[in-house]
Amino acid sequence: MHSDPMMWIAGVRALYLQALHPRAVRGVLQNSDFRRDAWGRLMRTARFVGTLTYDTTDAAEQAGARVRRIHRLLSATDPATGERYGVDQPDLLLWVHCAEVDSYLHVLRRSGYPLTDAHADAYLHEQRESARLVGLDPAGVPGSRAALAAYFARVRPELALTPEACEVDGFLRRPPTPVPLVPARAVLWQRVAGLAYGALPAYAQELYGRPAPPPATVTRRLRATGRLLRAIPPTVRWQLPPRHILRAVARLGPGTRPAPYKLRPSAAILDGPKDTQGELRG
């Protein structure tokens, strides 16, 4: 699942959704160079997800420890109250995690990736391991579609369109681009951002206050985009950074590769060919 090219659109949807949590988005904007290094931040997130999915258990544990260590050092300030709080608070980490996994599942399924409801529940259960690695107790992390829906219903009253969320929205719609690439931004990036925004839940679009195409139109566009991107040979797509799949294939052998349409239970973090049955999972 994580090797699918629609994950990039899913990642942008996650950013839109995450930005609607006032305390979480302040933690990002007050502690990072998001405005000038958005691509670097996106690649670091992709590298972390790729490490947890396709690297060894030791590498995943080290990546998680590194993230926890960084988060412990960071804090943010509520401009209205002056309250100072750590960005590693469990409720903030849980929001970021749930917005990510919900976006991954939603965009891939809606774009035609063949996941049953049972597959979706298994994926959410499996991803509680990634939540553990960033510092959460897996027992408190939604591990099914029903639990995830209940979580979002509980958190919705806390969401709001803050100035920070507006800043993220404006950035995602028109990210700073070198002059020669402005036409490409208009043609390509705005389509990516538009699809990601259209895939948001209705309550998130209402908070942002911008209309989106009808859901049926968004679904058609997601499916068309999915068909187009999946037609690109995987060996070509995997050349894009961070190239974690190619590194995993090199480690485990040329007979080991992601197989998106042969889903069955197996480990998400792989240590060797004995765990793969000839294919990578995740």
Side-chain angles (χ1 to χ4, degrees):
M1 179 177 158
H2 285 176
S3 71
D4 191 83
M6 292 297 286
M7 283 285 288
W8 292 101
I9 293 174
V12 177
R13 181 195 189 263
L15 292 175
Y16 270 122
L17 193 55
Q18 289 166 350
L20 290 174
H21 193 296
R23 292 165 67 87
V25 72
R26 287 189 201 108
V28 172
L29 294 187
Q30 293 182 19
N31 287 284
S32 71
D33 198 10
F34 177 83
R35 303 159 189 82
R36 287 185 292 178
D37 188 34
W39 177 250
R41 180 178 177 82
L42 184 63
M43 290 307 303
R44 287 190 291 274
T45 300
R47 191 173 297 112
F48 182 72
V49 173
T51 297
L52 269 55
T53 307
Y54 295 107
D55 217 320
T56 66
T57 299
D58 285 345
E61 293 287 354
Q62 291 172 18
R66 188 161 52 248
V67 167
R68 296 194 302 272
R69 185 168 58 251
I70 292 172
H71 284 172
R72 280 196 297 269
L73 300 175
L74 303 179
S75 60
T77 301
D78 185 331
T81 65
E83 176 197 2
R84 193 81 178 165
Y85 57 91
V87 303
D88 62 348
Q89 292 186 353
D91 62 321
L92 305 185
L93 297 176
L94 184 59
W95 169 253
V96 170
H97 171 84
C98 289
E100 283 185 0
V101 296
D102 177 73
S103 294
Y104 298 160
L105 265 181
H106 181 87
V107 169
L108 265 67
R109 298 189 81 187
R110 199 169 172 184
S111 66
Y113 194 91
L115 287 172
T116 67
D117 288 347
H119 287 142
D121 284 342
Y123 174 77
L124 292 172
H125 178 78
E126 177 182 279
Q127 290 304 308
R128 292 195 297 180
E129 183 71 2
S130 67
R132 178 189 68 79
L133 288 169
V134 299
L136 286 166
D137 178 358
V141 177
S144 67
R145 290 169 301 117
L148 188 61
Y151 167 78
F152 280 119
R154 186 168 69 251
V155 174
R156 275 180 60 177
E158 302 176 28
L159 306 183
L161 183 67
T162 61
E164 293 88 353
C166 290
E167 186 173 349
V168 171
D169 180 31
F171 179 90
L172 291 175
R173 293 167 67 185
R174 295 179 62 86
T177 307
V179 173
L181 297 181
V182 169
R185 180 183 67 183
V187 173
L188 298 176
W189 178 258
Q190 288 183 8
R191 179 177 177 84
V192 169
L195 280 172
Y197 183 83
L200 285 170
Y203 66 81
Q205 295 166 353
E206 291 172 4
L207 285 173
Y208 276 114
R210 289 196 289 114
T217 300
V218 174
T219 299
R220 284 197 301 271
R221 291 175 180 173
L222 286 168
R223 286 184 172 269
T225 303
R227 285 194 299 270
L228 176 64
L229 293 180
R230 291 168 190 140
I232 301 172
T235 51
V236 174
R237 290 191 271 108
W238 298 342
Q239 296 290 337
L240 294 173
R243 306 181 77 178
H244 47 263
I245 295 175
L246 290 180
R247 289 196 298 272
V249 170
R251 185 180 81 250
L252 299 174
T256 307
R257 55 182 293 171
Y261 303 119
K262 296 179 182 178
L263 301 170
R264 59 176 176 264
S266 70
I269 298 172
L270 306 176
D271 289 310
K274 63 180 182 301
D275 297 322
T276 69
Q277 299 179 358
E279 297 156 325
L280 297 183
R281 288 289 162 254

